[in-house]
Amino acid sequence: MKNTFGNAITVTLFGESHGPAIGAVLDGLPGGIKIDEEYIAARLTQRRPSGRISTARREPDRYEILSGVFNGYTTGTPLCIIIRNEDTRSKDYDSVSRLARPSHADLTAMYKYGGFEDYRGGGHFSGRITAALVAAGAVVMKALEDKGIIIGTHIKSCGGISDRDFGTAVWAEADIRSLAEADFPVLDGKTADEMEKKILTAAAEGDSVGGVLETLILGMPEGVGEPWFDTVEGMLAHAVFSVPAVKGIEFGAGFAIAEMRGSQANDCLRTDGKKIYTETNNSGGINGGITNGMPIVFRTAVKPTPSIFKEQRTVDIKSGENAVLSLNGRHDPAIVHRAGAVVNAVTAITLADLLAVRYGADWLRTGEKK
């Protein structure tokens, strides 16, 4: 059993959706990183459900740091954060103990844990656990921002509606800053209303929708990453695929690059006399698994929420007979707008780990390259 990610800086998750609490342990952080509690709370707010397009479960996400922080700074020992579950309705999941929900982890959890798993609200597989991941990621994300590395994610498309692209140069940074304040993470405010209408239409029909997130990373130093198994793409993909409902990821031009010729796909090199840069960024800021100094860009496919209110065919896993499932309870008609905060969190943890491998963990505090 493994619930830990990372090499030099690791994160371990624990807890269940309807258990007493969920939490995360960050290990490998250096001492001396300032903890900004308001920043952590703001990131949790972006993940928290709100409005008509989210689940009616309302958790305040009051986090507690149990260890690893003293006088407002990390100590260098394991940092443990917990968030207590306060709004559970376990009776809504009585039927799930027998009827596996299609495209959920109910069936695979039974295969892995032999029927001893906590099925309430998805148990350890629930998106609820991502609150702890966001809190831990916020600690690291703020440390990266203080060193000039900023991360932003917007909804590129949802329900057939597309948001505009990130701006270039100074506009890209402004876009990321604007997303840090957004409840619904889009760059063009007009698309937010259109996307929400699509989500509400699906909800009214007892259905759900998915979407595509696009993430931009600015300020990442060149030369970070490994050429084979710990490539930047590989490590980011590993982390992002750990986020519930993620089913695909592409970097730079992504799958579209397969339809280009080399003369179109290649990112030609130039210099301004101080720094080498590329004229285009089809490679998404990474070559040979290593950062090239350009912005890192990737897109993430988020599937429609599998908890829907239409009748679905399933199997009674206790009797082994075919059955029909009709769900009750509180479920999101879309989670793509909440998933952006989680993608930011795992991205920050991954980048911090890669930087610690390259320069040593103290880089997060000092910015000095060993």
Side-chain angles (χ1 to χ4, degrees):
M1 311 298 180
K2 186 182 180 187
N3 293 278
T4 300
F5 172 79
N7 293 308
I9 293 174
T10 65
V11 61
T12 302
L13 297 177
F14 61 88
E16 291 79 34
S17 178
H18 286 220
I22 57 175
V25 177
L26 277 170
D27 203 359
L29 290 177
I33 293 178
K34 185 174 177 56
I35 299 298
D36 187 332
E37 296 194 5
E38 291 185 1
Y39 185 93
I40 297 172
R43 302 289 78 75
L44 283 167
T45 296
Q46 290 185 314
R47 191 216 68 94
R48 190 178 304 127
S50 62
R52 298 177 296 166
I53 59 172
S54 296
T55 173
R57 180 175 178 178
R58 292 292 183 260
E59 293 283 1
D61 288 346
R62 287 186 280 263
Y63 68 91
E64 304 169 50
I65 299 178
L66 300 186
S67 65
V69 175
F70 183 63
N71 289 334
Y73 291 85
T74 58
T75 62
T77 57
L79 190 158
C80 179
I81 300 178
I82 68 165
I83 300 173
R84 300 188 187 278
N85 293 322
E86 302 181 39
D87 185 24
T88 59
R89 282 195 342 208
S90 299
K91 62 181 178 62
D92 290 340
Y93 295 90
D94 289 344
S95 65
V96 177
S97 64
R98 299 184 65 92
L99 303 180
R101 295 169 296 173
S103 290
H104 271 279
D106 298 336
L107 182 61
T108 52
M110 188 269 290
Y111 287 151
K112 183 171 180 64
Y113 299 114
F116 292 97
E117 68 281 353
D118 183 346
Y119 56 80
R120 300 168 301 168
H124 189 58
F125 296 87
S126 171
R128 172 69 185 144
I129 314 301
T130 63
L133 191 53
V134 168
V139 172
V140 180
M141 195 169 167
K142 183 62 169 65
L144 291 175
E145 284 189 13
D146 290 343
K147 297 296 173 287
I149 299 171
I150 59 173
I151 304 164
T153 297
H154 73 121
I155 305 172
K156 186 70 181 71
S157 64
C158 176
I161 306 299
S162 295
D163 192 21
R164 71 167 174 83
D165 293 331
F166 277 109
T168 57
V170 67
W171 297 111
E173 182 171 349
D175 282 343
I176 291 177
R177 301 295 185 192
S178 71
L179 291 170
E181 306 298 327
D183 294 328
F184 194 87
V186 292
L187 299 172
D188 183 346
K190 295 178 182 178
T191 62
D193 291 337
E194 296 176 35
M195 289 180 185
E196 288 188 11
K197 287 178 183 176
K198 293 286 186 179
I199 295 170
L200 288 170
T201 297
E205 297 170 356
D207 221 328
S208 63
V209 297
V212 175
L213 298 170
E214 184 173 53
T215 301
L216 179 67
I217 304 162
L218 300 178
M220 190 67 179
E222 65 278 1
V224 175
E226 303 299 327
W228 289 101
F229 304 112
D230 284 354
T231 66
V232 175
E233 300 106 312
M235 294 297 287
L236 283 170
H238 183 169
V240 170
F241 272 121
S242 301
V243 178
V246 168
K247 300 303 290 184
I249 189 169
E250 63 177 12
F251 292 82
F255 281 92
I257 207 166
E259 303 302 320
M260 299 179 185
R261 290 191 174 188
S263 57
Q264 298 170 303
N266 290 348
D267 297 314
C268 291
L269 301 172
R270 306 299 294 165
T271 181
D272 58 8
K274 296 179 180 179
K275 183 178 180 179
I276 297 173
Y277 62 93
T278 62
E279 292 182 326
T280 53
N281 197 21
N282 292 322
S283 296
I286 305 163
N287 295 116
I290 298 168
T291 55
N292 63 18
M294 294 294 289
I296 297 174
V297 183
F298 65 86
R299 285 167 295 282
T300 304
V302 179
K303 71 179 182 180
T305 318
S307 293
I308 59 176
F309 294 101
K310 291 179 178 289
E311 284 193 346
Q312 299 178 86
R313 294 182 299 279
T314 186
V315 170
D316 186 319
I317 56 180
K318 297 289 180 64
S319 70
E321 299 176 345
N322 289 323
V324 174
L325 173 66
S326 295
L327 277 181
N328 296 310
R330 303 168 294 177
H331 306 289
D332 295 87
I335 57 173
V336 64
H337 58 295
R338 300 174 60 195
V342 190
V343 169
N344 284 342
V346 297
T347 298
I349 293 168
T350 304
L351 296 180
D353 185 36
L354 288 164
L355 286 160
V357 169
R358 180 74 170 91
Y359 302 123
D362 280 344
W363 186 90
L364 285 172
R365 175 174 56 85
T366 67
E368 296 176 0
K369 299 177 181 179
K370 292 184 179 179

